[in-house]
């Protein structure tokens, strides 16, 4: 057995790993070191495995001649996985009768990223469920995945210790892939033509501060980037991939898009810089093709076309080109250093290059800012030179090991480039004057030295003229040499128009003049511009391709297509080419350059913030292998990047923020269907958890009461009208939980119980913000009790139970009515408020799982029909008996090859069986039923909401209607309040009292009516109608019925005891028919059933009497606790 040891303080602990005995431990150790991760095994010891006795039934153990290997698994270093070759279903691991599987990388891969068949671990059901007869006899089932059954033959059982990339796919290491690209982008043109100006303005001291500050920003960003890219595999997309997987699609999509555009425009910026240099050379040699502007366009067109050809040919040629360009740039730097060590000629001296001098070194140490310049303005000029650290990360998909290459290459490039910048800056400051007048065309004899230290400025010109006249008198063959002092060289009054044209402050070609061979510096400038342009031409399509593949933005999937084994984004190449070419034709990019720099800086900001945010979220999934990072340093880096954005240019920073915000809002609004486990998701959980815990310590107060609804809806899609109505109450203000009671044993309903995605998907499409919970129970009542006991957490618990009225109560089993009735008692026992909603059209369609429908002339686009079908594993058992919809439809539907149910293409309703209780009839489904299902979705209501506040329940009966009037669907409705009066003589006083109470509650109502005749006896016709309704629910003692056998039936004594209540309910029905027949909604106080006094049959008769043939009506009662107050 092989042993794996890890170093611990005081002892070595050993962990066992199965590896073939032919593999030496040191080979495995070397292989594991290649990962570059800090999560490494200190040592792997390999010893011979105990030999299994060969079974006649299993001859697979004789794989090698050296002896039997473990027949269970082999550890492949090349594939980073255990591979079982006894059976792919893990039926025999370690040659034992078990389904268990060894730890394997394939088990943790994203199946969508797999390129071939992968192993899969056994499911919980496979390990936990009972074995069938075939398994008990040891017969093997078919593999779970087609590609899993790959038995290792005698000829190819081996351990590979060489990690090789996928055949044919070109992958780069950290030097060619990251280091070279970053160095070329960081050095760039700034090194050759702008660094001298920075030294002249800021002096060597502050220039060092500027370089180091830029290095700090880029180093912090690189550390954050290293932490992110070592927290899991990094695919193609670079900065976009890291930001999107860390902060989510909103930030990632915004950065990915603008980063791609910025790189595409940067192509033009670098190409124009190259074209301008070539144009100047042509101009100096009088070789312009047309004119200065058009020559830039022609040269730029030819250059960008050649770069496109190099990029499309392949990454290998592009990498070779980058190496050549880096070699040219390094040669230019060496040439500059050599030139500085060579004593300057007099020609170079008059241009400011006087060689290394101590006093000059001290003088140039201090700043000498010119007019309009200060530290931050100079810093803003230099900092864009440091924005090349993402060049390697942008091709993350083309790296062999991005987790190792990006941190190593990026950090090393920052270190090298910073040292070079500092060295060049101090070299420039030590041997170059800030101001130099340049050649004066004055020839003086070899022995003539012009001493001007004591000459005033006003006589300087005359001295020079006399020297010239003296030179004219010398013999023509006399060798001449003119020597100027430093004071003469730096006196700008001697220059053309009295201005110095040379020196650190004025000559951008100072490095070329100081070098040993000037053309090599020009070649370095060409190398810097072309390498940066080529890097941008490669980066922009790679990043844009990654954005397109994720489908965050519409109508760009076309550019996601890759070609060849390396998935080359040729379409994106062409897009970047035409964008760059368009800006090349503009010719002048000075205005847009700061915007591009700010786009890059925004990427740095979000990379730093991604690392900080991921660390702050404390998700267990945040485990970066790179340990040299700190969340507060990442936050500091993000703040500095933001500050630098405004330092460079405040209005371009605002533009950048505006573009990012617009894209963020768009992506947030469209909500792309992606799930990357971002830190944003982790924060949502963390914040919710902290808020829930904090809420526990907050004492309840009437002013903060919110009706938190528990809806016994069954599957939400079965009762859309009920869900819609309750969502109008809870939307944006309170909790809503949809509960589904599955009657039956848990073991037989696991799929239904665990399938919550379908319910949440339906709620999301319906735009209902609610939770969904399901439970199994032997009866509906037990399930409802269980949910009421356990639903919610802390203070986030429902306080009001809402059910649909049981419309089939007269036809269903009496025991079901008894259960329904007792649930109301249970809710009151648990201090819930209770609401019963009745719609004459019903709440929904109990559609068979193999059915779909499309009525005549009605389409889903009409906004009427929006029901996803029930998943195939959901059956009618899911339906709770709180409301049986009146109609049931059976029809055919089409299936595609993968057995996914698809709706029929027919636009006509397929005739089917319609159920209404026990009776069945064949009829066409009425479109009005479908409209009723969506009655709370179609159009805003107009009319009145009539509140029959008969008894004081704490105010819930009044609060719910008020909340409804604040919602868009009910905003056109006015409240009308009806209350019961006591005496006719006190009618006015009671009406004034009620009006005062409503005024104190700050609830506006259209009318307020006190009903004096509520206790008036109802008419004979209404009484007879009620007697016929309740007749089947009265205990027949003559037939031998007893209360013990028929607890749901009422007795004559009970009828007589509750006669007054019965008559009041019948009378209320008459009053509602008189006053509220045309109301949009009726909300009435729910009758209170007293335990042991009122039976289920009598109570349901009361409810049916109050609600039958009425507009939508909600019977509601609070828990007798105040939910309204008039105190501030």
């Amino acid at each position: 057995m092989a042993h794996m040891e890890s170093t611990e303080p005081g002892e070595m602990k050993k962990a066992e790993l199965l590896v073939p005995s032919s593999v030496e431990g040191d080979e495995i150790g070397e292989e594991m070191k290649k990962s570059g991760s800090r999560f490494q095994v200190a040592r792997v010891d390999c010893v011979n495995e105990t030999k299994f006795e060969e079974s006649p039934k299993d001859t697979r153990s004789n794989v090698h001649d050296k002896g039997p290997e473990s027949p269970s698994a082999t550890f492949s270093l090349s594939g980073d996985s255990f591979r079982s070759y006894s059976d792919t279903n893990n039926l025999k691991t370690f040659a034992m009768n078990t389904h268990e599987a060894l730890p394997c990388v394939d088990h943790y891969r994203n199946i969508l990223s797999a390129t071939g068949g992968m192993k899969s671990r056994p499911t919980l059901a496979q390990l936990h469920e009972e074995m069938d007869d075939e398994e008990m006899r040891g017969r093997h089932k078919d593999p779970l995945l087609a590609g899993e059954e790959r038995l290792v033959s005698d000829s190819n059982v081996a351990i590979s210790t060489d990690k090789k990339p996928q055949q044919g796919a070109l992958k780069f290491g950290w030097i060619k892939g990251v280091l070279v690209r970053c160095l070329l982008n960081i050095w760039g043109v700034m090194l050759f033509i702008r660094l001298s100006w920075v030294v002249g303005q800021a002096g060597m001291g502050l220039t060092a501060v500027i370089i180091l500050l830029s290095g700090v920003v880029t180093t912090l960003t690189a550390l954050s980037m290293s932490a992110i890219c070592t927290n899991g595999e990094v695919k193609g997309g670079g900065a976009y991939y890291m930001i999107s997987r860390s902060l989510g699609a909103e930030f990632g999509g915004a950065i990915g898009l603008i980063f791609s555009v910025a790189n595409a425009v940067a192509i033009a910026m670098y190409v124009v810089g190259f074209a301008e240099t070539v144009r100047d050379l042509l101009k100096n040699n009088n070789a312009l093709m047309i004119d200065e502007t058009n020559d830039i366009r022609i040269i730029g067109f030819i250059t960008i076309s050649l770069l496109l050809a190099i990029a499309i040919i392949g990454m290998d040629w592009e990498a070779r080109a980058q190496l050549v360009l880096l070699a040219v740039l390094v040669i230019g730097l060496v040439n500059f250093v050599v030139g500085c060590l060579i004593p300057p000629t007099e020609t170079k001296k008059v241009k400011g290059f006087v060689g290394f001098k101590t006093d000059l070194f001290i003088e140039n140490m201090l700043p000498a800012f010119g007019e309009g310049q200060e530290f931050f303005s100079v810093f803003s000029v230099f900092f864009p030179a440091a924005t090349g650290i993402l060049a390697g990360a942008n091709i993350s998909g083309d790296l062999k090991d991005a987790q190792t290459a990006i941190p190593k290459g990026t950090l090393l490039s920052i270190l090298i480039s910073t040292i070079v910048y500092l060295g060049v800056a101090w070299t420039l400051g030590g041997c170059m004057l800030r101001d130099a007048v340049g050649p004066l065309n004055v020839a003086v004899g070899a022995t003539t030295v012009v001493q001007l230290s004591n000459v005033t400025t006003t006589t300087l010109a005359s001295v020079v003229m006399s020297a010239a006249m003296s030179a004219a008198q010398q013999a023509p063959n006399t060798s001449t040499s003119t020597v100027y002092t430093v004071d003469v060289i730096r006196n700008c009054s001697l220059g053309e128009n009295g201005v110095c044209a040379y020196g650190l402050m004025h000559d951008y070609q100072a490095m070329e003049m100081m070098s040993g061979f000037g053309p090599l510096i020009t070649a370095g400038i060409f190398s810097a511009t072309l390498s940066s342009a080529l890097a941008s031409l490669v980066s922009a399509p790679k990043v844009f391709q990654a954005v397109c593949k994720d489908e965050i933005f519409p109508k760009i999937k076309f550019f996601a297509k890759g070609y060849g084994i390396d998935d080359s984004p040729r379409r994106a190449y062409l897009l970047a080419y035409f964008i760059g070419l368009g800006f090349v034709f503009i010719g002048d990019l000075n205005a847009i350059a700061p915007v591009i720099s700010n786009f890059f800086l925004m990427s740095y900001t979000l990379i730093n913030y991604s690392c900080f945010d991921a660390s702050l979220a404390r998700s267990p999934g945040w485990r970066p292998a790179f340990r040299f990072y700190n969340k507060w340093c990442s936050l500091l880096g993000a703040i500095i990047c933001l500050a630098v954005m405004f330092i460079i240019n405040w209005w371009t920073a605002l533009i950048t923020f505006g573009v990012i915000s617009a894209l963020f809002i768009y992506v947030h609004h469209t909500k792309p269907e992606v799930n990357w486990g971002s830190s944003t998701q982790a924060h949502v959980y963390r914040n919710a958890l902290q808020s829930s815990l904090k809420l526990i310590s907050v004492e309840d107060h009437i002013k903060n009461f919110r009706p938190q609804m528990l809806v016994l809806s069954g599957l939400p899609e079965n009762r859309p009208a009920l869900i819609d109505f309750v969502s109008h109450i809870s939307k944006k203000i309170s909790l809503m939980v949809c509960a589904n009671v599955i009657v039956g044993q848990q073991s037989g309903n696991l799929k239904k119980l665990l399938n919550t995605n379908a319910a949440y998907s339906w709620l999301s499409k319906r735009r209902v913000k609610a939770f969904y919970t399901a439970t199994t129970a032997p009866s509906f009542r037990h399930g409802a009790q269980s949910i009421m006991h356990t639903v919610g957490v802390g203070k986030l618990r429902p306080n009001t139970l809402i059910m649909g009225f049981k419309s089939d109560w007269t036809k269903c089993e009496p025991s079901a009515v008894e259960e329904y009735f007792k649930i109301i008692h249970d809710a009151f026992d648990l201090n819930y408020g209770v609401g019963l909603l009745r719609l004459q059209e019903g709440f929904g369609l109990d559609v068979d799982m193999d059915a779909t429908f499309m009525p005549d002339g009605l389409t889903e686009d009409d906004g009427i029909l929006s029901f996803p079908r029930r998943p195939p594993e959901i059956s009618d058992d899911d339906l709770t008996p709180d409301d049986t919809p009146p109609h049931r439809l059976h029809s055919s539907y089409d299936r595609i090859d993968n057995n996914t149910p698809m709706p029929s293409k027919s636009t006509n309703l397929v005739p089917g069986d319609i159920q209404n209780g026990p009776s069945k009839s064949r009829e066409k489904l009425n479109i009005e039923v479908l409209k009723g299902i969506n009655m709370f979705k179609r159009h805003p209501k107009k009319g009145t909401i009539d509140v029959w506040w008969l008894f004081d329940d704490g105010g819930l009966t009044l609060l719910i209607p008020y909340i409804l009037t604040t919602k868009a669907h009910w905003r056109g409705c006015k409240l009308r309040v009806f209350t019961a009066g006591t005496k006719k003589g006190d009618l006015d006083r009671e009406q004034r009292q009620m009006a005062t109470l409503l005024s104190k509650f700050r609830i506006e109502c259209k009318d307020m009516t006190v009903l004096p005749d509520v206790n008036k006896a109802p008419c004979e016709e209404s009484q007879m109608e009620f007697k016929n309704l309740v007749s089947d629910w009265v205990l027949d003692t003559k037939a031998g019925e007893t209360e013990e056998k028929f607890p749901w039936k009422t007795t004559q004594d009970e009828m007589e005891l509750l006669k007054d209540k019965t008559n009041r309910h019948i009378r209320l029905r008459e009053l509602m028919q008189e006053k509220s027949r045309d109301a949009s909604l009726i909300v009435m106080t729910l009758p209170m059933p007293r335990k042991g006094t009122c039976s289920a049959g009598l109570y349901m008769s009361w409810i049916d009497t109050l609600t039958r043939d009425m507009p939508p009506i909600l019977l509601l009662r609070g828990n007798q606790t105040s939910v309204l107050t008039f105190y501030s």
Side-chain angles (χ1 to χ4, degrees):
M1 185 70 69
H3 299 280
M4 184 176 294
E5 298 186 3
S6 58
T7 304
E8 294 289 339
E11 65 173 353
M12 299 288 289
K13 295 186 178 179
K14 295 186 177 182
E16 293 187 352
L17 259 182
L18 268 185
V19 296
S21 59
S22 60
V23 181
E24 297 296 335
D26 56 348
E27 295 178 4
I28 300 177
E30 290 298 323
E31 176 63 29
M32 302 185 80
K33 290 178 182 177
K34 294 181 181 179
S35 64
S37 170
R38 63 188 173 102
F39 303 111
Q40 295 183 358
V41 178
R43 180 175 138 205
V44 178
D45 290 337
C46 298
V47 297
N48 290 333
E49 177 62 63
T50 301
K51 297 180 180 179
F52 291 100
E53 293 185 5
E54 184 176 343
S55 171
K57 295 182 180 180
D58 190 355
T59 61
R60 286 169 291 181
S61 60
N62 275 330
V63 180
H64 296 299
D65 294 336
K66 297 181 180 180
E69 300 286 345
S70 168
S72 57
T74 177
F75 181 60
S76 170
L77 290 173
S78 61
D80 250 353
S81 62
F82 282 103
R83 296 188 179 182
S84 170
Y85 52 89
S86 65
D87 182 68
T88 55
N89 278 335
N90 305 304
L91 290 179
K92 297 185 74 176
T93 300
F94 292 110
M96 293 180 290
N97 188 18
T98 175
H99 283 263
E100 301 282 13
L102 297 173
C104 173
V105 169
D106 281 352
H107 298 166
Y108 297 90
R109 292 190 189 278
N110 182 352
I111 193 169
L112 298 178
S113 65
T115 56
M118 294 193 310
K119 292 179 63 61
S120 65
R121 74 168 63 88
T123 65
L124 184 62
Q126 289 173 325
L127 296 176
H128 185 246
E129 293 296 327
E130 296 180 3
M131 298 178 65
D132 56 25
D133 293 338
E134 289 187 353
E135 290 177 319
M136 294 294 292
R137 290 192 298 269
R139 296 181 182 179
H140 297 170
K141 294 184 177 181
D142 294 334
L144 297 177
L145 294 176
E148 280 189 330
E149 194 170 22
R150 292 179 287 180
L151 302 180
V152 181
S153 64
D154 295 345
S155 61
N156 62 5
V157 177
I159 298 296
S160 174
T161 58
D162 295 327
K163 280 192 175 181
K164 297 181 180 180
Q166 186 179 354
Q167 288 294 329
L170 179 65
K171 298 292 183 180
F172 300 114
W174 68 273
I175 296 178
K176 289 177 66 176
V178 182
L179 180 63
V180 171
R181 298 172 187 277
C182 289
L183 285 177
L184 285 169
N185 275 264
I186 294 174
W187 281 335
V189 181
M190 178 65 66
L191 179 63
F192 293 103
I193 64 176
R194 284 293 184 271
L195 186 58
S196 59
W197 178 86
V198 172
V199 175
Q201 294 284 343
M204 290 186 295
L206 290 183
T207 297
V209 174
I210 290 174
I211 295 172
L212 292 176
L213 181 58
S214 302
V216 167
V217 175
T218 53
T219 300
L220 291 176
T221 304
L223 292 176
S224 299
M225 183 169 63
S226 300
I228 294 172
C229 70
T230 58
N231 192 51
E233 292 186 0
V234 178
K235 304 297 180 60
Y240 158 73
Y241 186 89
M242 289 184 282
I243 294 173
S244 62
R245 270 54 178 181
S246 297
L247 292 181
E250 293 86 353
F251 281 113
I255 280 295
L257 201 58
I258 70 163
F259 194 75
S260 303
V261 174
N263 273 289
V265 178
I267 300 170
M269 189 170 65
Y270 296 126
V271 169
V272 167
F274 170 78
E276 286 179 346
T277 306
V278 176
R279 187 269 321 268
D280 292 339
L281 291 176
L282 294 175
K283 182 180 178 181
N284 294 336
N285 292 279
N286 296 319
L288 288 176
M289 293 176 284
I290 302 177
D291 56 48
E292 295 185 9
T293 302
N294 286 314
D295 279 15
I296 291 176
R297 292 170 179 165
I298 294 172
I299 297 169
F301 171 72
I302 296 172
T303 304
I304 197 173
S305 299
L306 290 175
L307 294 177
L308 175 67
I310 293 174
I312 289 183
I313 287 174
M315 291 292 293
D316 186 28
W317 283 92
E318 185 267 345
R320 293 177 185 176
Q322 294 280 22
L323 287 175
V324 172
L325 293 173
L326 179 62
V328 173
L329 195 148
V330 171
I331 291 173
L333 286 174
V334 173
N335 174 51
F336 166 73
V337 175
V338 171
C340 292
L341 297 176
I342 298 174
T345 63
E346 294 302 324
T347 303
K348 291 184 177 182
K349 282 185 178 181
V350 297
K351 293 183 178 180
F353 177 34
V354 296
F356 290 100
K357 296 182 180 297
T358 304
D359 55 347
L360 180 62
F361 188 89
I362 297 173
E363 177 185 344
N364 285 343
M365 182 64 69
L366 301 177
F369 294 112
E371 184 178 356
Q373 300 296 336
E374 41 88 26
F375 175 81
F376 288 111
S377 64
V378 177
F379 176 79
S380 66
V381 171
F382 174 81
F383 186 81
T387 58
I389 64 171
L390 293 180
N394 287 338
I395 62 164
S396 55
D398 296 304
L399 300 176
K400 292 179 182 178
D401 185 2
Q403 292 179 285
T404 302
I406 292 176
K408 187 185 297 184
T410 304
L411 290 170
L412 187 58
S413 67
I414 293 173
L415 176 63
I416 295 174
S417 60
T418 301
I419 293 174
V420 170
Y421 269 119
L422 287 172
V424 172
W426 283 53
T427 301
L428 286 168
C431 60
M432 188 78 175
L433 297 173
R434 278 194 169 98
D435 302 295
V437 70
L440 295 173
N441 296 323
V442 176
V444 183
T447 59
T448 304
V449 179
V450 182
Q451 297 290 345
L452 297 173
S453 58
N454 297 320
V455 180
T456 63
T457 303
T458 57
T459 62
L460 186 59
S462 62
V463 173
V464 175
M465 289 302 294
S466 64
M469 292 175 64
S470 174
Q473 296 175 359
Q474 300 289 333
N477 296 328
T478 303
S479 177
T480 63
S481 176
T482 306
V483 180
Y484 299 104
T485 62
V486 173
D487 292 329
V488 174
I489 296 172
R490 64 175 47 170
N491 196 310
C492 295
S493 62
L494 298 178
E496 186 178 355
N497 299 323
V499 177
C500 286
Y502 297 91
L504 294 174
M505 303 278 281
H506 311 286
D507 186 10
Y508 292 154
Q509 306 298 328
M511 287 186 65
E512 181 180 358
M513 182 265 296
M514 298 169 63
S515 64
F517 183 62
L520 285 179
I521 298 298
T522 303
I525 296 174
F526 288 170
S527 172
T529 53
L530 292 178
S531 63
S532 298
L534 187 57
S536 297
L537 183 58
V538 172
S539 298
K542 292 283 186 181
V543 175
F544 190 63
Q545 182 187 36
V547 177
C548 296
K549 283 183 176 180
D550 288 335
E551 299 185 59
I552 294 177
F553 298 99
K555 301 180 181 179
I556 60 174
K557 185 71 179 297
F558 174 80
F559 298 101
K561 183 175 177 59
Y563 294 87
I565 54 178
D566 58 350
D567 199 31
S568 177
R570 295 177 185 173
R571 295 176 179 177
Y573 276 135
L574 292 175
L575 178 63
Y577 168 77
F578 285 113
I579 293 175
L581 190 61
F583 282 96
V584 164
F585 287 155
I586 294 176
D588 183 12
L589 300 177
N590 291 334
I592 201 169
V595 178
I596 297 175
S597 296
N598 271 337
F599 281 174
F600 289 135
L601 277 170
M602 180 57 77
S603 302
Y604 293 180
T605 301
L606 291 181
I607 288 175
N608 281 296
Y609 183 74
S610 297
C611 181
F612 168 75
D613 197 59
S615 302
L616 191 66
R618 297 179 181 176
S619 172
W622 174 249
R623 303 184 304 275
F626 184 84
R627 53 185 160 184
F628 303 105
Y629 78 96
N630 181 274
K631 65 180 178 181
W632 301 113
C633 290
S634 298
L635 179 61
L636 177 63
I639 294 173
I640 294 176
C641 289
L642 284 177
V644 171
M645 288 176 62
F646 284 92
I647 289 172
I648 292 176
N649 196 312
W650 66 268
W651 61 267
T652 57
L654 293 179
I655 291 176
T656 304
F657 271 101
V659 174
I660 292 290
S661 299
L663 293 174
F664 179 93
I665 293 171
Y666 172 79
V667 177
H668 184 73
H669 178 72
T670 55
K671 292 180 174 61
E673 295 182 1
V674 295
N675 182 13
W676 294 324
S678 66
S679 60
T680 304
Q681 295 172 318
H683 273 298
V684 170
Y685 173 83
R686 184 167 176 260
N687 293 337
L689 179 61
Q690 290 179 341
S691 298
S692 299
L693 292 172
K694 184 178 180 181
L695 196 60
I696 295 176
S697 61
V698 177
E699 294 185 5
D700 294 331
H701 194 280
I702 299 175
K703 291 192 296 184
N704 295 325
F705 174 84
R706 295 170 185 266
Q708 303 191 108
M709 321 302 287
L710 173 61
V711 189
L712 292 183
S713 62
L715 278 176
E717 62 194 72
N718 290 335
R719 291 167 183 80
L722 177 63
I723 300 298
D724 292 339
F725 177 81
V726 179
S727 71
H728 289 169
I729 301 172
S730 64
K731 185 177 181 180
K732 296 183 179 180
I733 67 166
S734 63
L735 175 70
M736 175 179 172
V737 180
C738 301
N740 179 19
V741 177
I742 303 171
V743 178
Q745 294 297 320
Q746 174 179 300
S747 58
N749 296 279
L750 286 176
K751 289 185 177 180
K752 304 173 189 177
L753 188 65
L754 300 177
N755 183 29
T756 60
N757 291 336
Y760 279 114
S761 176
W762 186 90
L763 291 170
S764 177
K765 292 178 181 178
R766 197 79 174 180
R767 296 183 180 179
V768 173
K769 305 296 184 182
F771 295 97
Y772 171 77
T773 186
T775 188
T776 57
S779 67
F780 178 61
R781 183 190 178 191
H782 284 94
Q785 286 178 337
S786 175
I787 288 177
M788 285 189 287
H789 287 162
T790 59
V791 69
V793 56
K795 294 292 182 69
L796 295 177
R797 299 177 60 86
N799 52 34
T800 305
L801 176 70
I802 301 292
M803 295 189 294
F805 176 71
K806 192 170 182 59
S807 57
D808 66 340
W809 73 279
T810 58
K811 301 179 177 63
C812 69
E813 290 294 329
S815 58
V817 178
E818 177 76 4
E819 276 198 335
Y820 181 85
F821 172 66
K822 288 185 176 180
I823 289 174
I824 299 175
H825 278 300
D826 295 336
F828 285 130
D829 289 341
L830 296 173
N831 212 29
Y832 277 74
V834 177
L836 304 180
L837 179 66
R838 182 170 189 176
L839 307 178
Q840 302 309 315
E841 301 87 352
F843 295 112
L845 290 175
D846 183 9
V847 185
D848 187 82
M849 67 178 179
D850 293 335
T852 186
F853 51 85
M854 190 63 65
D856 293 335
L858 186 66
T859 65
E860 293 186 2
D861 295 334
D862 295 331
I864 302 298
L865 194 61
S866 59
F867 306 106
R869 288 179 307 282
R870 263 181 281 163
E873 67 271 15
I874 304 300
S875 69
D876 293 340
D877 293 338
D878 287 21
L879 303 180
T880 56
D882 55 350
D883 174 60
T884 302
H887 302 291
R888 179 181 178 90
L889 170 69
H890 296 272
S891 66
S892 63
Y893 71 98
D894 299 333
R895 292 182 181 270
I896 59 177
D897 293 339
N898 62 357
N899 296 325
T900 302
M902 297 293 290
S904 173
K905 299 296 182 182
S906 174
T907 57
N908 294 326
L909 176 68
V910 180
D913 299 334
I914 309 296
Q915 275 191 351
N916 191 357
S919 63
K920 298 183 179 180
S921 62
R922 304 281 292 180
E923 62 177 348
K924 194 172 183 178
L925 185 64
N926 193 332
I927 193 174
E928 295 300 324
V929 175
L930 295 179
K931 289 182 178 180
I933 293 172
N934 288 275
M935 66 183 303
F936 299 119
K937 278 286 185 184
R938 286 183 289 125
H939 301 292
K941 290 284 186 179
K942 292 185 178 180
T944 63
I945 298 178
D946 288 0
V947 182
W948 291 71
W949 195 16
L950 303 176
F951 306 101
D952 191 351
D953 60 345
L956 188 64
T957 306
L958 186 61
L959 179 62
I960 295 295
Y962 166 75
I963 292 175
L964 288 174
T965 60
T966 64
K967 305 304 172 66
H969 187 83
W970 302 94
R971 196 163 291 155
C973 296
K974 302 295 183 181
L975 287 183
R976 295 196 305 177
V977 178
F978 298 89
T979 62
T982 55
K983 299 179 181 179
K984 286 189 176 181
D986 295 335
L987 186 61
D988 292 340
R989 181 179 60 83
E990 291 178 352
Q991 194 155 349
R992 287 194 300 270
Q993 288 178 344
M994 182 56 63
T996 301
L997 182 60
L998 294 177
S999 176
K1000 285 181 175 292
F1001 285 152
R1002 303 172 304 283
I1003 293 179
E1004 181 180 357
C1005 63
K1006 179 182 177 182
D1007 295 313
M1008 199 285 299
T1009 304
V1010 176
L1011 303 173
D1013 51 355
V1014 172
N1015 292 322
K1016 180 181 176 181
C1019 64
E1020 289 294 330
E1021 182 181 354
S1022 298
Q1023 294 185 37
M1024 288 301 300
E1025 187 177 353
F1026 180 82
K1027 288 181 181 180
N1028 293 333
L1029 177 66
V1030 78
S1031 59
D1032 292 337
W1033 297 85
V1034 177
L1035 198 65
D1036 187 359
T1037 54
K1038 295 181 180 180
E1041 295 180 348
T1042 62
E1043 295 184 28
E1044 290 75 16
K1045 293 183 179 180
F1046 300 90
W1048 52 82
K1049 288 193 174 185
T1050 184
T1051 64
Q1052 292 296 335
D1053 293 338
E1054 181 180 300
M1055 292 281 290
E1056 184 63 29
L1057 177 65
L1058 301 176
K1059 180 178 179 180
D1060 291 339
K1061 283 189 176 181
T1062 300
N1063 289 335
R1064 183 170 65 241
H1065 296 322
I1066 299 173
R1067 176 58 181 162
L1068 285 172
R1069 171 180 173 80
E1070 295 176 345
L1071 292 173
M1072 282 193 293
Q1073 287 179 325
E1074 175 186 345
K1075 300 182 180 296
S1076 298
R1077 170 66 72 178
D1078 298 325
S1080 299
L1081 175 69
I1082 300 174
V1083 180
M1084 173 179 275
T1085 304
L1086 176 72
M1088 175 63 72
R1090 185 177 292 276
K1091 289 182 179 180
T1093 302
C1094 182
S1095 63
L1098 179 60
Y1099 187 77
M1100 293 301 296
S1101 300
W1102 289 351
I1103 303 302
D1104 192 281
T1105 299
L1106 290 172
T1107 59
R1108 188 175 63 254
D1109 299 328
M1110 291 289 178
I1113 181 170
L1114 174 67
L1115 299 180
L1116 185 65
R1117 180 178 284 270
N1119 60 6
Q1120 302 303 117
T1121 302
S1122 296
V1123 300
L1124 293 172
T1125 180
F1126 44 78
Y1127 295 107
S1128 59

